[in-house]
Structures are given as C-alpha cells and as structure tokens.
Amino acid sequence: MIIIADGGSTKTNWCLVTEDGKKVYFNTEGYNPYFSGTDYIIQSLKESLPTDLEKDNITEVNYYGAGCSTPEMRKIVEDAMKAVFTKSRVNIGHDLLAAARALLGNNEGFAAILGTGTNTCLYNGKEIINNIDSGAYILGDEGSGCHIGKKLLIDYLRGYMPEAVRKNFWETFKLTPDDINEIVYTQPRANRFCASFSKFVYDNIVNIEYSRNLVRTSFEDFFRNLVTHYPDYQKYTFNCIGSVGYNFRNVLEEVCTENGMTVGNIIRSPIDNLVKFHLELAPSQL
C-alpha cells in the first residue's frame, strides 16, 4: 500500500491506495515546516490520522508539502513521517512540484498555486526549471488567501471599508483592531489567520463590488509581480491549483486574459490528479 499526500499550510489531503487499487481519502491539518516542527507534526498525525489506518502495511509515503523547498525544511517533515510510518519509504517533495505534476503530468508548461499562499513555476515535464520566490506571507504571496485577507484587514484597521461591510465584519468576527494586531504579531500561524478572511470576502454580498475589487487588485499584483516576470510567459497556458484560484476563478480568468495568457486548468485540489500521476505516469510498487 502507498500513500500520496498534498500538504498546504492549512490542510493536507491524503490518499491511501491499497494493494487491490482501492483509494481511501482523508484529511489532516497542513504542516508547513516554517511554522510546524517535527514534534508538532508527529503529535498532530497521531491524533488526526484514521484510527484504522494500518501504518505497518504501508510501504511508501509520497508527501508534497508547502514550505518543503530546501533540504533543511524537507528533513523536518521527513523525520516526522518516518517516526509515524516506521515501515515505509518516505519521499518528501515541494507542493509546487505536486501542482505541476497534477496540472501538467509529463508535459511542460506553467503552473501556479493560489491557496493560503502563492507559488509559481515553469515545469519541463519532469522537474521545476524556473521558480520566482513568492516572498511568503510577510513579503509577498500576492494573489493568495493570505494576501486577500491582509488587504481586507488593512482596510478594516484604517477605516477604508464601506460602512456596510465594516458592520458585517464586526457582526461576524467581533474583532477590534487591537485584537487583530495581537493575533497577527504575537500568536503563531498568522498566515492561516489572515487567509481565513478570504472566505468572508467570498461570502460577502453586502458590497459585491468592494469584494470583487479586493480580489482583482490582489490578482493584478500576482501577475505584475510574479507571472509576467517569467520568460515568454504568454506562450504558456495558465494552470492553477488552490481554493482561492478556484473560488475566485471568474476574476482570475479576467486578469489572466488581460495579461495575454490563455486559461488552462484551474482546479481546487491536486490530490486526484496526483494519485493518477503516481499510479500511471510514475508507478510505484504497491
């Protein structure tokens, strides 16, 4: 039996493939090694993995995770996976590689992630050949849920929100400006906190024009600061994975077209295509 997992900063989607080809899906929280240490990941997995999961019968774990971009960060996650799946061969990859494989298979092209965070790349059908650093949630991550959430929070803190939206925000969250600053600057996982407000933007019907403009300007920043800096970017189709790209795809497609790119695949989660990649394009011994 093998496991394929796609781990974002907020949630990890898992698929267990049994010896007879049955697929069993389950979820845990996300494990970004920049925010979660080995001990934390081990404890979380012990608490959240299905109780009937036969870990000793799993021969291989293929985990793709946010933040797993350097050997040091991958080792944090690898050590945790080996401690939990003691009989398994463990392969740790970056979630950007998972996105490219899920979106493009063995074909070359452009792939992006627009979820809690942002990432982009050019892929040659085997590996990532060009990646512009997203800057993560403090310095960049334009177009992400965190970026959209930060823009919303800034408008709230500065009093720029339309009054009806501000009233709705208060009634929904009961957060004062001091509460927000305290959470962002003193508590862990501020990226998740900021990203959580992208749902409010999506659900807001009090002032749709305000919400749409917030999302549009975030996607415009994403293209201006990241996508358009790839060589000959307009020759590629725009392919994207992530809940933010998927939920706001109508606005994303508009901005994409305005920047001279043809829209390709925009999907919420890579897990199904990633499983297909491992079973058909890069089969392992089950």
Side-chain angles (χ1 to χ4, degrees):
M1 297 194 293
I2 69 170
I3 279 181
I4 298 101
D6 170 60
S9 291
T10 301
K11 182 176 73 172
T12 301
N13 297 313
W14 302 75
C15 179
L16 170 71
V17 183
T18 65
E19 293 175 346
D20 58 1
K22 180 181 178 182
K23 300 171 186 174
V24 181
Y25 294 88
F26 52 93
N27 300 317
T28 66
E29 68 172 301
Y31 306 113
N32 188 321
Y34 283 95
F35 310 116
S36 302
T38 296
D39 291 342
Y40 177 88
I41 298 172
I42 292 171
Q43 186 60 36
S44 175
L45 288 173
K46 287 181 177 179
E47 293 173 356
S48 55
L49 288 173
T51 56
D52 60 350
L53 185 65
E54 299 176 357
K55 293 189 286 292
D56 287 348
N57 292 331
I58 297 169
T59 59
E60 181 177 304
V61 174
N62 296 288
Y63 180 92
Y64 299 85
C68 295
S69 55
T70 68
E72 293 78 14
M73 292 299 105
R74 286 194 291 272
K75 190 173 189 308
I76 291 172
V77 179
E78 181 181 6
D79 288 347
M81 295 296 162
K82 286 182 175 179
V84 173
F85 301 99
T86 57
K87 303 292 181 64
S88 304
R89 182 170 66 255
V90 174
N91 303 309
I92 306 295
H94 196 204
D95 64 342
L96 187 57
L97 180 60
R101 287 177 168 177
L103 288 164
L104 298 165
N106 286 337
N107 300 312
E108 67 172 15
F110 173 89
I113 297 172
L114 286 171
T116 299
T118 296
N119 219 330
T120 54
C121 74
L122 295 181
Y123 173 71
N124 67 0
K126 294 182 179 179
E127 59 187 6
I128 293 167
I129 56 172
N130 195 345
N131 167 237
I132 298 173
D133 198 313
S134 72
Y137 80 100
I138 292 178
L139 300 179
D141 266 357
E142 295 92 330
S144 68
C146 185
H147 191 249
I148 293 169
K150 285 196 298 182
K151 290 170 73 70
L152 180 81
L153 293 175
I154 289 169
D155 280 359
Y156 180 68
L157 294 174
R158 295 175 177 171
Y160 296 164
M161 268 184 187
E163 183 55 35
V165 180
R166 184 177 179 85
K167 181 180 178 182
N168 188 20
F169 182 93
W170 170 255
E171 290 175 349
T172 302
F173 301 109
K174 296 293 192 296
L175 288 169
T176 67
D178 286 343
D179 292 333
I180 291 169
N181 282 315
E182 194 273 334
I183 293 170
V184 169
Y185 292 107
T186 69
Q187 296 188 19
R189 298 176 181 83
N191 62 324
R192 289 189 195 174
F193 173 75
C194 293
S196 69
F197 293 98
S198 64
K199 185 178 186 303
F200 174 83
V201 175
Y202 180 76
D203 291 339
N204 173 46
I205 59 173
V206 174
N207 189 324
I208 295 175
E209 182 180 357
Y210 169 76
S211 294
R212 185 179 179 84
N213 185 62
L214 203 69
V215 174
R216 169 174 270 277
T217 56
S218 184
F219 287 157
E220 288 172 346
D221 291 343
F222 169 66
F223 271 84
R224 180 174 58 253
N225 297 335
L226 291 166
V227 180
T228 59
H229 289 270
Y230 284 96
D232 300 320
Y233 73 95
Q234 292 175 327
K235 79 175 186 180
Y236 302 104
T237 59
F238 179 86
N239 303 285
C240 175
I241 272 175
S243 58
V244 172
Y246 183 83
N247 289 336
F248 296 112
R249 61 191 177 278
N250 291 340
V251 180
L252 179 59
E253 289 173 357
E254 288 178 5
V255 177
C256 181
T257 300
E258 290 168 5
N259 282 275
M261 291 187 80
T262 301
V263 178
N265 296 316
I266 298 178
I267 61 178
R268 181 187 296 274
S269 169
I271 190 65
D272 286 327
N273 288 358
L274 201 55
V275 170
K276 181 179 180 181
F277 176 87
H278 275 276
L279 295 183
E280 297 180 10
L281 301 179
S284 300
Q285 179 63 45
L286 298 185

